[in-house]
């Protein structure tokens, strides 16, 4: 317990002192919907809304247009990937095609601008209680397959940082047959449930439905079905899974924010010259972290996504 408290103290007040102070001094009032989502997130680790209610600013239309353009442009690559979607290869998500590959960070990109819009960044920062960093963004085209679940289709907790704030946006209708994102509420670090499920041996720390149900009953799981434009915010340190599409494909944008002290390296490339935003919190989100954090991680890479 003492070690845990010390690790938390060190994380927040030593490794994240500056972003914590900056946030405290510049905290903003959230909209009613954002405040509701933050409160849900703190309590359960997951919260769901729609782009109209949370954002209502036309950004989703831009996102959708760009995703449709990429889907058309990459149609033959997507179809080729579909053919190997049922193969199970350790540490590879064959069941999904990532439209952005490893993206090149670029402030003009709608995928970056979507992540950095005030509402999303304000909720991420308020959840962490500090300024946060953008670590990842992409668009998943998840294929409908009949293969057994593997990788992120099985229950797991992300290892990125003490919290992992993810924003998922559905770009296709997601019913039970399209592999909805699914979450075991209150298993996030702020949550009440501290027990952890048993793991499938050799799976890199993943659990089956039966193992998860021993900790959180099936009836309590949040299955985030929803129409196009559904927005899910979750702390993916809490147990989750998704993308086991059986009936139809799922298209989903997601982005990840962590503290500057996250051990995992960011999952995009930086161009030599990057135009930076003028807004203080967006600027912080895009400025690279001190490499000492990730250097330590590389020395003991035992984690999963
Ligand atoms: O595809 C999904 O819904 C699960 C995604 C996931 O596990 C993650 O982003 O950490």
């Amino acid at each position: 317990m003492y070690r845990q408290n010390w690790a938390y103290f060190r994380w927040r007040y030593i490794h994240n002192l500056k972003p914590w102070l900056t946030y405290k001094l510049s905290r903003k009032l959230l909209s009613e919907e954002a405040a509701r989502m933050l409160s849900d997130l703190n309590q359960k680790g997951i919260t769901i809304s729609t782009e109209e209610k949370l954002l209502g600013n036309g950004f989703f239309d831009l996102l959708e247009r760009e995703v449709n353009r990429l889907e058309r442009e990459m149609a033959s690559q997507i179809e080729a990937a579909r053919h190997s979607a049922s193969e199970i290869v350790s540490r590879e998500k064959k069941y999904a095609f990532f439209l952005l590959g490893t993206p090149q960070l670029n402030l003009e990109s709608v995928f970056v601008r979507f992540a950095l819009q005030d509402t999303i960044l304000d909720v991420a920062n308020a959840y962490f209680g500090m300024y946060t960093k953008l670590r990842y963004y992409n668009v998943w085209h998840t294929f409908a397959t009949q293969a057994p679940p593997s990788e992120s289709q099985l229950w797991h907790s992300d290892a990125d940082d003490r919290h992992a704030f993810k924003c998922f946006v559905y770009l296709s209708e997601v019913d039970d047959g399209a592999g909805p994102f699914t979450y075991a509420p209150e298993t996030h670090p702020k949550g009440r449930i501290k027990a952890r499920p048993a793991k499938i041996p050799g799976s890199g720390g993943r659990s089956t439905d039966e193992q998860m149900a021993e900790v959180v009953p099936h009836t309590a799981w949040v299955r985030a079905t929803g129409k196009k434009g559904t927005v899910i915010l979750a702390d993916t340190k809490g147990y989750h899974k998704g993308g086991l599409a059986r009936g139809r494909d799922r298209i989903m944008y997601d982005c990840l924010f962590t503290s500057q002290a996250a051990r995992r390296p960011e999952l995009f490339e930086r161009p030599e010259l990057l135009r930076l935003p003028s807004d203080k919190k967006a600027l912080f989100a895009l400025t690279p972290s001190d490499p000492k954090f990730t250097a330590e991680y590389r020395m003991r890479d035992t984690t999963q996504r």
Side-chain angles (χ1 to χ4, degrees):
M1 190 62 169
Y2 173 76
R3 274 172 70 95
Q4 261 304 92
N5 289 345
W6 168 240
Y8 176 79
F9 182 90
R10 203 168 56 137
W11 174 76
R12 178 170 291 281
Y13 303 112
I14 300 178
H15 292 164
N16 285 302
L17 178 65
K18 208 167 148 201
W20 171 70
L21 274 174
T22 324
Y23 170 75
K24 291 275 163 209
L25 297 173
S26 59
R27 197 164 9 174
K28 285 212 333 212
L29 265 187
L30 299 177
S31 70
E32 201 178 310
E33 182 63 357
R36 178 195 69 78
M37 292 187 87
L38 174 65
S39 154
D40 257 16
L41 195 59
N42 279 325
Q43 227 186 313
K44 300 190 204 127
I46 182 164
T47 180
I48 305 172
S49 186
T50 62
E51 59 89 14
E52 297 105 318
K53 268 200 225 154
L54 180 67
L55 310 168
N57 57 5
F59 239 120
F60 175 78
D61 299 340
L62 293 180
L63 183 71
E64 188 183 17
R65 214 171 305 148
E66 187 56 11
V67 168
N68 289 342
R69 191 187 68 75
L70 289 176
E71 283 273 326
R72 279 195 303 274
E73 200 176 282
M74 302 175 107
S76 55
Q77 284 160 267
I78 295 172
E79 281 321 296
R82 184 187 297 284
H83 289 300
S84 48
S86 295
E87 288 169 23
I88 296 185
V89 181
S90 173
R91 295 271 167 135
E92 265 191 63
K93 298 184 181 87
K94 291 289 216 180
Y95 48 82
F97 181 86
F98 293 88
L99 259 59
L100 308 185
T102 302
Q104 238 323 289
L105 188 61
N106 167 7
L107 197 54
E108 274 77 50
S109 151
V110 66
F111 303 107
V112 174
R113 284 161 54 216
F114 193 91
L116 295 183
Q117 57 187 305
D118 269 351
T119 311
I120 292 177
L121 199 43
D122 284 342
V123 180
N125 291 350
Y127 181 70
F128 271 81
M130 64 181 72
Y131 274 17
T132 55
K133 299 269 181 208
L134 179 68
R135 293 278 164 180
Y136 164 84
Y137 57 93
N138 219 316
V139 179
W140 306 46
H141 182 133
T142 302
F143 301 113
T145 73
Q146 304 311 314
S150 68
E151 300 299 310
S152 56
Q153 296 171 326
L154 292 162
W155 290 97
H156 62 284
S157 151
D158 289 346
D160 300 86
D161 193 10
R162 292 191 78 86
H163 296 290
F165 176 97
K166 274 194 184 157
C167 168
F168 301 93
V169 183
Y170 288 160
L171 288 139
S172 61
E173 160 124 22
V174 178
D175 57 13
D176 274 322
F181 178 78
T182 303
Y183 196 88
E186 300 187 63
T187 56
H188 63 313
K190 299 187 189 189
R192 192 180 45 89
I193 299 170
K194 301 297 176 205
R196 293 295 172 247
K199 309 279 186 271
I200 308 166
S203 67
R206 315 221 173 226
S207 309
T208 61
D209 283 358
E210 292 69 29
Q211 289 169 323
M212 192 68 235
E214 296 279 318
V215 175
V216 178
H218 186 266
T219 48
W221 299 350
V222 176
R223 290 175 69 77
T225 51
K227 59 180 183 149
K228 193 197 291 190
T230 296
V231 178
I232 303 155
L233 304 180
D235 181 346
T236 54
K237 284 298 278 189
Y239 278 79
H240 64 284
K241 63 167 190 168
L244 189 64
R246 293 304 196 203
R248 59 158 106 178
D249 291 9
R250 183 192 70 177
I251 303 177
M252 177 178 87
Y253 164 83
D254 74 336
C255 57
L256 163 71
F257 292 89
T258 66
S259 83
Q260 70 168 8
R263 303 292 179 198
R264 292 192 136 225
E266 54 196 23
L267 290 165
F268 41 73
E269 280 164 8
R270 286 179 179 270
E272 266 178 41
L273 272 183
L274 173 67
R275 188 167 77 76
L276 288 169
S278 50
D279 173 72
K280 226 165 105 182
K281 61 179 183 282
L283 176 64
F284 183 87
L286 289 194
T287 313
S289 298
D290 186 332
K292 77 171 178 242
F293 297 119
T294 44
E296 203 177 296
Y297 166 82
R298 280 197 197 97
M299 279 160 46
R300 41 188 195 98
D301 179 4
T302 54
T303 51
Q304 61 180 359
R305 179 174 299 277

